[in-house]
Amino acid sequence: MTAPAPIRVLVVEDDPVAADAHALYVGRVAGFAVAGVAHSRAAAYRALERTPVELILLDLYLPDGHGLHLLRALRAAGHPADVIAVTSARDLAVVREGVSLGVVQYVLKPFTFATLRDRLDRYAEFRAAAGEAAGQDEVDRALATLRAPRPAALPKGLSAPTLEAVTRTLRDTDGGLTATGAGAAVGISRITARRYLEHLVTEGRAARSPQYGQVGRPELQYRWIRSGR
């Protein structure tokens, strides 16, 4: 039996580091393939004219216009691709407008690979549903597959509230932080803070570099990767 063709994805993200991370994430999920990467609304439109895709991973804040303006233009031109919005926007009016234009999922920044993988797996399951529903329950189950995400699992020993606190502290600190500084700001030990900071590095949300200038062994400095607003 021939394996089904992968779901082609266009990654639209203005920040090059974030775009590379998102493309890497998509490429790691079975059944999906990155068809292209675009850093602006205009580049995305040109890419879609060249290569049809089934799914767009769309940042809503682009240098030449809002992502939903791009989506509105695509719908007017007859492009049927579904959209997963990847954004830090939390305005529910924007969410409602996005749903009306074909946004099937929202993924809020910052997010982990596990979060995006869950959304992509659910989208693939939703697309695979075929035939005629036997009744309301079957329709509800199909929609629940898409709309009710499972919570992403964190590595053992890490908690979501502490990760959120470390993430917020690092994101709001210009110039970055050491594990000692992050621990003091959040109220946890240096060793614990380093585990959370290393997790953010692994997920592509932070970068680390040695901090020199003091006597003794240099300490690692962590900085937030500015992947969106």
Side-chain angles (χ1 to χ4, degrees):
M1 184 176 178
T2 305
I7 297 170
R8 295 167 296 181
V9 182
L10 174 67
V11 175
V12 183
E13 165 63 58
D14 69 324
D15 184 277
V17 174
D20 289 346
H22 298 170
L24 178 64
Y25 284 177
V26 171
R28 290 169 59 188
V29 181
F32 290 84
V34 177
V37 175
H39 300 299
S40 69
R41 175 180 165 183
Y45 201 95
R46 290 194 299 269
L48 289 167
E49 288 182 326
R50 295 191 304 268
T51 307
V53 302
E54 288 75 45
L55 182 64
I56 304 171
L57 203 62
L58 179 63
D59 180 22
L60 294 188
Y61 294 108
L62 299 170
D64 54 350
H66 199 280
L68 292 186
H69 296 166
L70 167 65
L71 185 50
R72 194 177 296 111
L74 292 174
R75 294 298 182 244
H79 288 280
D82 290 320
V83 173
I84 294 179
V86 177
T87 180
S88 58
R90 288 166 168 78
D91 186 339
L92 292 181
V94 173
V95 172
R96 286 193 297 271
E97 183 180 1
V99 169
S100 72
L101 291 170
V103 174
V104 296
Q105 290 275 15
Y106 274 82
V107 181
L108 292 179
K109 298 177 180 177
F111 60 88
T112 65
F113 167 65
T115 296
L116 183 60
R117 179 181 58 198
D118 178 74
R119 301 305 193 275
L120 292 176
D121 285 343
R122 285 178 169 272
Y123 172 74
E125 186 177 344
F126 179 76
R127 275 185 64 90
E132 185 173 344
Q136 184 67 51
D137 288 348
E138 193 168 337
V139 172
D140 290 344
R141 282 196 298 271
L143 291 175
T145 297
L146 192 60
R147 299 295 184 192
R150 292 177 288 265
L154 288 172
K156 186 177 180 180
L158 301 189
S159 73
T162 304
L163 178 60
E164 182 179 355
V166 173
T167 298
R168 184 172 57 250
T169 299
L170 185 62
R171 187 174 59 228
D172 294 344
T173 304
D174 293 334
L177 284 170
T178 63
T180 301
V186 176
I188 55 180
S189 72
R190 178 184 64 82
I191 294 174
T192 300
R194 183 171 181 177
R195 289 192 62 202
Y196 284 93
L197 292 167
E198 287 293 328
H199 174 71
L200 291 174
V201 171
T202 300
E203 292 294 333
R205 314 316 299 159
R208 64 172 177 262
S209 58
Q211 182 185 45
Y212 296 98
Q214 297 180 355
V215 177
R217 188 174 180 179
E219 191 170 5
L220 291 175
Q221 181 90 356
Y222 297 84
R223 61 177 179 80
W224 182 250
I225 295 175
R226 303 291 173 183
S227 60
R229 293 149 306 277

